[in-house]
Amino acid sequence: MSYQRVKFYQTGTFTVGNRLLDEGDRTVQARTDRSNSLNSGHRACQGCGEALGARYALDAVMRATQNKMVAVNATGCLEVFSSPYPESAWQIPWLHSVFGNAPAVASGVAAALRAKGKTDIRVVAQGGDGATVDIGFGCLSGMFERNDDVLYLCYDNEAYMNTGVQRSGATPARAWTNTTQAVGTEPGNPMGIGKNLPRIAMAHGIPFVATASVADLHDLETKVTKAMSIRGARYIHIHVPCPLGWKSDPAQTIKVARLAVESGLFPLFEAEGGVVSDRTPIRKQVPVEQYLALQGRFKHLFNPRDEEALAAIQAIADRNIHLYALLPTKPAMET
Amino acid sequence: MKQQIEGSQAVAQAVALCRPEVMACYPISPQTHIVETLSRKVKAGEIGNCQFLNVESEFGALSVLIGASAMGARSYTATTSQGLLFMAEAVYNAAGLGLPIVMTIANRAIGAPINIWNDHSDSMAMRDAGWLQLFAEDNQEAVDLHIQAFRLAEELSCPVMVCMDGYILTHAFEEVDLPTQEQVDDFLPPFEPVQVLDPQDPVSIGAMVGPEAFTEVRYLAHHKHLQALEAIPRISQAFQDIFQRSSGGLLKQYHTDEAETLLLALGSVNGTIKDAVDDLRTEGWPVGAIQLCSYRPFPSHALRHVAHNAKRVIVIEKDLAVGNGGIVSGEVKLALQGLPTIVDTVIAGLGGRAISKAAVIDIVKAACLEGLEEPHFLDLNWEAINRELTKQAEQRRSGPTPENLLREIGLSSGKAL
């Protein structure tokens, strides 16, 4: 019996189907010897973007280090759904201390490894956006400025989901959360506030900063693998939809994540030494409305239509497109 | 070798002899001289491959050590006062995780009002965090307790605070017998962790625990302190065998036999107290003293054994449970419950106010002759307090209390200073 090699092409993106790649470049998850850092049986919600992002990222680290790795976890959904005693889903050495100190704990692990001359073992710290941009920010900045040999992975689902959907410094403009309710003259999260941690990380001049999305898991793996080829402080900010907090269909997590990328709201790029060195272009920019309309947290923008807010969010996307030269036809803005 | 040396320098020498592998430090007075000295030693390559991290906060400092200790590295830091409170979440966490970190507390008051001088409010605020807390009377004992602390911490897999009075000890120059590296190596074996992050044998440390097992985990933390009640005297004896001097233990006695009145205190004030006891005994007062060396675990049994014949125990403590009174005295009362012994609380030395020998002698006589109100505040300036209370009663917008008090006492803006 003969087999025909089937080729898969995706339309509308520059994403390349796994089967079109050389064996060596294919995703870790496609391998029979894949490592499964985060085992099945954990308690994440259906359609959880964070569980997916964490598994791909950490499996890529395992592959890059031949399993010689340690993970430090901030408090949050990932920690809670993966670790209820005594049923840990982690297949790697894993340490959770408190909410706001994962970067410092990881620095300590790295320091111990230096002291013991075991620098072949590598350290990853991970947390959600609250742990990263808010409560752990001081420790993260300290880890960056000391250029400690730690890869920090932020799984950004744009609010405090573990505590029941409250606003973080990474919550986007006009999004509903339980502490930015869809009431009043400016329903949802106020426009023009919040922080952009990838750019703050870049301002520290650390060797490697990247953004990634569960919409492009191969790109995520590639960036993690690249990060592990570098010594010093590295930061990857991963966009991970949360069906619970975003009020989106769990079956649509990847689509929602992809629309965030293709609208320009979540630009995918890399920076080395504080300078943008690469970006993932968008074939065709989609209007932000397509992204927003899939999420109940933005429904107050559509009933009735809040043209001013929609235009302002579109302007954020357009600025990103310009800033990172995401459309091949448009040159990069001076950064 | 005996040296005239500053307390902080001596402690830094002792810590260096313990071969720490990771130190993470953040400056706060009065512990800075310790970490400055250690940073120089690390940079000069005098402590093997030890890593010294200058971090962004005390919370970061202890968090770094949590990671380092979980990776199997001998870990050390020093802090005090606001710094200890700033790291509070990590203080509880390190104990909950059972990580044998050693930390010097250069005891200092807690603000507001901001105050850099000595009392015990800081370590008392962390007394239930699960750390062992050892208090040094002088700089020799501070040196010796640090060496014992690493062995104790690592044997029990439990963090230890070595508490030494800020400025009074940290900045005092006195004769200290510094041990040799060979002595310390004989006494302190390499760190062999009970749990470690190891890619060859992956474990999850710090997992969530629900109601089904949380109480048992907490009991085991308590059990560790019960084991420490046995380990502290044993390790103190082992120390004496190698170093030929007595240091540490659960508590120390000074003329406690036949004493009807016992003074009890933690830390450096015991030097003053012993002098006061000498004078009182010369005058014929049947007085003795107990120096509590281990505050956590609290040596209830040993204390009851020593104090059960005393008529009165006067606890002189450098802390205040606002709204209640004494912290230490409450625990002394619990240890002596069922006995007819009177336990007095004397709140003294807050924010660095000196406790004089004369004041100690006076308070003993007053307690024995007239009894003391509970709690008794030593050397309180009632005149200034009453003026402020009157002002507060007369006007709603009476202003910030510390400023007012300074003005009352005439110390503000060049008036009396």
Side-chain angles (χ1 to χ4, degrees), chain A residues 19-101:
Chain A
R19 288 173 179 79
L20 294 178
L21 296 169
D22 292 337
E23 288 279 351
D25 290 337
R26 289 186 189 176
T27 176
V28 177
Q29 302 298 321
R31 292 158 184 271
T32 52
D33 62 347
R34 72 180 189 193
S35 44
N36 265 334
S37 53
L38 180 63
N39 249 358
S40 60
H42 61 69
R43 292 152 162 86
C45 306
Q46 280 192 334
C48 173
E50 186 175 35
L52 182 66
R55 182 161 61 88
Y56 270 72
L58 293 187
D59 280 354
V61 176
M62 287 182 84
R63 184 178 163 204
T65 61
Q66 287 88 49
N67 298 356
K68 288 184 178 175
M69 66 165 296
V70 171
V72 174
N73 216 127
T75 308
C77 279
L78 178 61
E79 168 262 330
V80 170
F81 75 62
S82 66
S83 84
Y85 171 87
E87 297 157 334
S88 176
W90 296 103
Q91 303 301 306
I92 49 177
W94 180 88
L95 173 63
H96 162 247
S97 176
V98 298
F99 200 0
N101 71 356

Side-chain angles (χ1 to χ4, degrees), chain B residues 25-73:
Chain B
C25 301
Y26 189 82
I28 180 168
S29 300
Q31 61 81 22
T32 41
H33 292 182
I34 302 173
V35 300
E36 285 168 2
T37 307
L38 285 167
S39 81
R40 189 179 64 237
K41 284 178 165 295
V42 170
K43 203 163 187 196
E46 293 170 18
I47 319 182
N49 204 23
C50 181
Q51 305 290 309
F52 185 99
L53 276 70
N54 283 300
V55 294
E56 72 291 336
S57 72
E58 289 90 356
F59 176 65
L62 188 54
S63 297
V64 163
L65 299 190
I66 286 170
S69 187
M71 200 66 228

Side-chain angles (χ1 to χ4, degrees), chain B residues 228-258:
Chain B
L229 288 171
E230 173 275 322
I232 289 169
R234 173 169 48 76
I235 286 172
S236 171
Q237 182 58 51
F239 182 89
Q240 188 169 358
D241 294 343
I242 292 176
F243 298 84
Q244 310 302 323
R245 63 176 172 271
S246 170
S247 269
L250 295 172
L251 52 79
K252 286 187 202 157
Q253 306 173 51
Y254 190 71
H255 294 302
T256 50
D257 293 343
E258 314 293 323

Side-chain angles (χ1 to χ4, degrees), chain B residues 160-237:
Chain B
V160 179
M161 290 181 200
V162 180
C163 305
M164 59 189 294
D165 286 326
Y167 295 111
I168 297 171
L169 293 185
T170 56
H171 287 54
F173 280 75
E174 51 185 25
E175 187 179 83
V176 175
D177 190 356
L178 284 168
T180 63
Q181 186 66 65
E182 292 68 32
Q183 285 176 308
V184 176
D185 287 346
D186 276 353
F187 176 76
L188 182 63
F191 174 30
E192 198 56 61
V194 299
Q195 55 179 353
V196 70
L197 296 166
D198 177 4
Q200 299 294 320
D201 181 18
V203 290
S204 297
I205 302 177
M208 188 178 209
V209 176
E212 71 282 1
F214 192 80
T215 309
E216 284 70 22
V217 175
R218 296 309 296 156
Y219 174 79
L220 289 169
H222 177 64
H223 184 75
K224 237 174 228 187
H225 279 230
L226 300 181
Q227 289 177 298
L229 288 171
E230 173 275 322
I232 289 169
R234 173 169 48 76
I235 286 172
S236 171
Q237 182 58 51

